[in-house]
Structures are given as structure tokens and as C-alpha cells.
Amino acid sequence: MQNDDDGLAGRIGRKVNELDIDFSRFTVAGWLVVLATVGNGVLAGWLAFANVRGRNAMDNGPALLIGLSGLVAAILTFFGLRWILGRLGVRIVRGID
């Protein structure tokens, strides 16, 4: 019998915990980037869902397209906003004092 910690979900959980993200260090601009990233990812996934033919069956093809659309949109939004704000000199996280 396989231990749940050795499965894919357990491995992903350990990797996420290793990131050690301190959410209290986000600035207002950082939180706006987070909200825009999540919102744009959800919107892209929803738009893909609305435009996929035969989406009621939800076999692997349409589901993968919907998930990847949201993921790609979120990644592009995050890196794009981080680059723009960096060029403007706006920090998205506070420095360690």
C-alpha cells in the first residue's frame, strides 16, 4: 500500500512548503499583482471553457486546454506585471529589515 505522502499530492505539498512564502511582506502593489494574476488566470480558464466544443464530456482534451489556458495567463500576468512594476521602481515585497 502506498503512503499518501509519497504520492504526487504529497510531493507537490512538500515543494510548496519549501518555497517559504511570507505573505506579510507583500506591499499593496504586491497584493494587486496577486489578485490580477489569479483573476486573469480564472478569466482565461473560463473563456476557454466557454469556447470549447463538447465540454460537457470533459474528457482529458478540453479539461487540459482549460487548465493550461488559465495557468499560462496567470504566469504571463505575474511576470508581466512584475517586470512593469520593476521598471517603474515599485516593489511588490518589502525588504528584510
Side-chain angles (χ1 to χ4, degrees), residues 2 8 10 12-13 21 26-27 30 33 36 38 48 51 72-73 77 80 90 94 96:
Q2 182 180 7
L8 179 61
I12 291 172
I21 299 171
F26 281 139
T27 62
V33 168
V38 171
N51 290 304
V72 168
T77 300
V90 177
R94 289 181 193 85
I96 299 174

Side-chain angles (χ1 to χ4, degrees), residues 21-93:
I21 299 171
D22 184 4
F23 292 103
S24 67
R25 291 182 50 211
F26 281 139
T27 62
V28 172
W31 281 109
L32 291 175
V33 168
V34 168
L35 292 174
T37 298
V38 171
N40 204 20
V42 169
L43 178 64
W46 180 81
L47 288 172
F49 175 76
N51 290 304
V52 171
R53 297 188 197 280
R55 66 183 179 271
N56 291 334
M58 286 309 291
D59 55 359
N60 289 338
L64 184 61
L65 175 67
I66 292 164
L68 286 178
S69 299
L71 182 65
V72 168
I75 290 170
L76 291 176
T77 300
F78 174 76
F79 284 113
L81 287 174
R82 190 178 74 165
W83 181 79
I84 290 169
L85 292 174
R87 301 283 282 182
L88 295 173
V90 177
R91 296 184 61 144
I92 60 174
V93 291

